[in-house]
Amino acid sequence: MATDFTPMIPGNSDRLPDVRSASHKIEVPEMIAGKLNAVIRRSRITGLLCGIIVALAVSLVVLLLAAGLDWCLTLFEPAQRRLLTTVSLSVMALMGIVSVGWSMRHRITRRHVARQIDEQIPELHERWTSVTSFAESTTPPEMQGSALLIQKVAEEAVRMGRQVDPARIRLGKQIQVAVGCLAAVAAIWIVALVSDSDQMIVLVRR
């Protein structure tokens, strides 16, 4: 009598689900899932950081516009200055919430991360994308193709996945763009301060 067995790559975290049965639900191997989740966590943290940086840049722009408006209109009345300050702070708070909220709203899927990893490590030959696509597909397992072939792809993805370091996966240029925006706004502030530092300090204090 033939004995059923589950193929295994050495290592407790490399156990693969047996998908040879046509009706077996395909799952992402534990080792691959762990590394995908690590990249997803990095992406979320980076997105939150981008939102904070953009919020800071927007706040500096609002503050600069408020100072410019105060300078143009020459607001001496305390009530007028309080109104301008209240409106400016409200706009800064609103834009901060929008920036951070928008960055956290972006949904990052395992399939998207697997595609990023495959693109940056060509030696994987899109195996990680294939494995996650099979696992996340709504197509019944019996219609996804040869179960033995899928099992083989999963085994190869695990074996070759040891060269994947989640900390070294590039996450895009969002953080560079956010820092660039903040640097541009900071440069404008420096120019304004150098041009007339005394006047700018008075306007900001008001």
Side-chain angles (χ1 to χ4, degrees):
M1 180 181 298
T3 302
D4 191 18
F5 66 98
T6 300
M8 184 187 306
I9 306 298
N12 293 335
S13 64
D14 299 344
R15 184 183 298 274
L16 300 175
D18 191 345
V19 297
R20 289 175 298 163
S21 173
S23 60
H24 196 287
K25 177 70 172 66
I26 300 170
E27 297 180 357
V28 177
E30 184 179 347
M31 186 272 284
I32 294 178
K35 293 192 175 185
L36 290 176
N37 290 337
V39 176
I40 289 174
R41 284 193 295 272
R42 280 188 60 217
S43 299
R44 288 173 177 167
I45 293 173
T46 300
L48 177 60
L49 183 59
C50 287
I52 293 174
I53 293 174
V54 170
L56 179 58
V58 171
S59 297
L60 290 175
V61 170
V62 172
L63 186 58
L64 185 63
L65 292 175
L69 186 61
D70 189 4
W71 179 76
C72 291
L73 299 179
T74 314
L75 302 177
F76 291 108
E77 292 294 331
Q80 294 176 333
R81 292 201 299 270
R82 282 197 297 271
L83 177 60
L84 179 60
T85 300
T86 301
V87 172
S88 300
L89 292 176
S90 299
V91 172
M92 290 164 62
L94 177 62
M95 294 306 298
I97 294 173
V98 170
S99 298
V100 175
W102 181 262
S103 66
M104 296 299 293
R105 181 177 177 272
H106 181 60
R107 184 170 178 267
I108 305 171
T109 64
R110 283 184 174 181
R111 187 181 302 185
H112 174 74
V113 172
R115 188 178 299 113
Q116 279 186 309
I117 293 174
D118 280 336
E119 290 174 352
Q120 295 179 35
I121 306 178
E123 294 81 4
L124 294 176
H125 297 291
E126 299 186 356
R127 287 180 175 85
W128 281 37
T129 302
S130 299
V131 170
T132 52
S133 296
F134 284 132
E136 295 181 357
S137 176
T138 56
T139 304
E142 61 271 15
M143 298 180 61
Q144 291 188 6
S146 170
L148 287 175
L149 179 59
I150 296 174
Q151 183 80 14
K152 182 179 179 181
V153 171
E155 292 175 354
E156 293 174 347
V158 169
R159 185 172 61 253
M160 301 180 68
R162 287 184 170 82
Q163 60 186 299
V164 177
D165 183 357
R168 295 188 176 183
I169 299 301
R170 298 185 299 276
L171 302 179
K173 298 182 178 181
Q174 297 94 329
I175 192 71
Q176 290 92 331
V177 173
V179 171
C181 293
L182 181 59
V185 175
I188 297 174
W189 265 95
I190 292 173
V191 171
L193 289 171
V194 170
S195 300
D196 194 342
S197 58
D198 294 335
Q199 182 66 20
M200 282 297 299
I201 292 174
V202 169
L203 291 173
V204 171
R205 287 179 177 177
R206 290 170 59 180

